[in-house]
Amino acid sequence: MDNIVKRTAKAKVPAILILASFIIVVAGMKAASSLLVPFFLAVFIAVICAPPLFWLQRKGVPKVIALILILVGILIVGMLLGALLGPPLNDFLSSLPGYQERLSTHVGTLTDWLRGKGVNIPAAEVSGAFHPGWVMSLAGDILSTLTSVLTNGLLILFTVVFILLEAADFPKKLGVVLKNPERSLSTIEKFSRDAKRYLVIKTLISAATGLAIWLWLLILGVDYPVLWGTLAFLLNYVPNIGSIIAALPVVLLALVQLGLGSALLTALGFVVVNIVLGNLIEPKLMGRRLSLSALVVFLSLVFWGWVLGPIGMILSVPMTSLAKIALESYEGTRGLAIMLGSGTEIDWIEKLRRRK
């Protein structure tokens, strides 16, 4: 009997060690979030910048000059973001208490109207359980975090430079280290190609989404269209949930600023843009095999948002998608990739197996 107990205890040790290691790693990441967020952003930017860098090199541009051109482009985009977002963000944050108060007034009016229709809703419970202004506060926190991260621009820029410099020689180093370099390098190359394609397409679709939302809000006359276009661009990396989070504060702002009609038109604009770009164009360019389960999207949003803050929410789905691409690259882990996916890629996986 003692031997059975000992064997059982020994069998449980690996699982306990794995769980303990995971908890320690997550706690360490949360404690070092101020350092990890700029690093993850640098990796994200470097992966997006790698294709144009390699394209310039293929066209005969020397590596140093190509890298300088890419860095100049990053600096221009960063300065434009700072110049465009800084003043309206400060203005919005200073006006936020007034917007929240007007929202509370609208909620009180709605409560009174419902009471007149015979629906008895205690005012104290509504004000205690429902705070419509928190959505605007969340949007302000995300944009404020982005601008604060941009203050670490020098660290991010240097990290991007070293990643891009290392990218060209990394396959050669792996070829020396790996036992079976041809097979392993082909798998790594496939992962790298799929990852770059995913991030570039997602970034272009997100940029188109942000531009379309900015133009629509500019036409409607909603305050701070640049802020909301930027928020739509950032949160478009989070499918389904991100578009809802991006739309809610704008719809509420349009309600208190311009009235119910403009709020409905604002919501309609978000719906049309996300249907056209997110549901029609993006799947054709991206391929449905890269889609994630809605549950996985939500859990990754909560987890990375808790570990890394608002920027973690934005990076959550790209990081999970890259993990899925990596799992798909290996036969032994392809089953895990299927579990992370939405189910639309099962036919694609089965076709690959039939070919083999």
Side-chain angles (χ1 to χ4, degrees):
M1 185 66 182
D2 291 339
N3 292 333
I4 295 175
V5 172
K6 289 179 181 179
R7 283 199 299 269
T8 304
K10 288 180 180 179
K12 291 182 179 179
V13 168
I16 293 173
L17 286 176
I18 291 172
L19 180 61
S21 302
F22 175 76
I23 292 172
I24 292 170
V25 169
V26 170
M29 291 177 68
K30 186 171 176 60
S33 60
S34 59
L35 180 63
L36 288 176
V37 166
F39 173 75
F40 284 142
L41 279 175
V43 173
F44 183 77
I45 294 170
V47 173
I48 294 173
C49 293
L53 175 66
F54 296 149
W55 179 82
L56 288 172
Q57 288 183 270
R58 287 196 298 270
K59 294 298 181 180
V61 179
K63 183 177 180 180
V64 176
I65 297 177
L67 186 59
I68 291 173
L69 291 174
I70 295 296
L71 293 181
V72 169
I74 295 172
L75 284 173
I76 292 173
V77 171
M79 288 188 292
L80 283 175
L81 278 176
L84 290 174
L85 294 181
L89 179 59
N90 293 330
D91 189 24
F92 169 71
L93 292 176
S94 63
S95 304
L96 187 58
Y99 288 131
Q100 291 175 330
E101 185 177 347
R102 290 162 68 181
L103 274 175
S104 299
T105 303
H106 278 73
V107 172
T109 303
L110 177 62
T111 305
D112 294 338
W113 181 80
L114 290 173
R115 281 206 202 93
K117 297 295 181 180
V119 181
N120 187 17
I121 302 177
E125 291 185 10
V126 171
S127 60
F130 180 63
H131 300 280
W134 77 268
V135 181
M136 288 187 172
S137 299
L138 176 62
D141 289 343
I142 293 174
L143 292 169
S144 297
T145 305
L146 176 65
T147 54
S148 65
V149 168
L150 289 177
T151 59
N152 293 322
L154 193 60
L155 173 62
I156 295 173
L157 194 63
F158 275 119
T159 308
V160 170
V161 170
F162 288 120
I163 291 174
L164 292 176
L165 287 174
E166 190 72 16
D169 297 327
F170 191 63
K172 298 177 183 177
K173 295 180 180 179
L174 287 176
V176 175
V177 173
L178 295 172
K179 294 181 180 179
N180 190 356
E182 292 184 3
R183 181 178 178 183
S184 299
L185 285 176
S186 64
T187 302
I188 293 171
E189 184 180 354
K190 180 182 179 303
F191 163 72
S192 176
R193 185 174 62 251
D194 288 345
K196 290 174 186 175
R197 181 172 177 271
Y198 163 77
L199 286 179
V200 169
I201 292 175
K202 192 68 178 177
T203 300
L204 291 176
I205 293 292
S206 298
T209 300
L211 182 62
I213 294 298
W214 170 69
L215 287 173
W216 180 242
L217 297 179
L218 198 63
I219 293 170
L220 292 178
V222 180
D223 287 342
Y224 317 113
V226 173
L227 288 184
W228 308 125
T230 305
L231 187 68
F233 162 72
L234 294 173
L235 291 177
N236 192 67
Y237 287 100
V238 183
N240 305 322
I241 302 171
S243 59
I244 296 173
I245 298 174
L248 279 176
V250 195
V251 172
L252 292 175
L253 177 62
L255 176 64
V256 299
Q257 180 198 346
L258 302 172
L260 181 60
S262 295
L264 293 176
L265 286 174
T266 301
L268 178 63
F270 272 90
V271 170
V272 171
V273 168
N274 282 282
I275 287 176
V276 173
L277 292 176
N279 295 336
L280 297 179
I281 297 177
E282 184 176 330
K284 290 182 180 179
L285 296 176
M286 193 88 69
R288 294 190 178 274
R289 70 181 184 85
L290 293 180
S291 60
L292 292 172
S293 163
L295 177 62
V296 171
V297 170
F298 177 73
L299 292 178
S300 64
L301 182 71
V302 173
F303 175 76
W304 288 112
W306 174 72
V307 174
L308 299 178
I311 298 298
M313 295 171 61
I314 297 168
L315 297 177
S316 61
V317 174
M319 287 191 291
T320 307
S321 297
L322 293 180
K324 182 175 182 288
I325 293 170
L327 293 172
E328 279 182 352
S329 302
Y330 294 90
E331 181 66 31
T333 57
R334 200 160 286 162
L336 292 174
I338 294 175
M339 297 303 295
L340 290 176
S342 61
T344 56
E345 75 281 8
I346 293 177
D347 294 336
W348 177 80
I349 297 289
E350 290 178 347
K351 286 180 183 178
L352 281 182
R353 288 176 176 173
R354 282 197 293 270
R355 287 176 188 174
K356 294 181 179 180

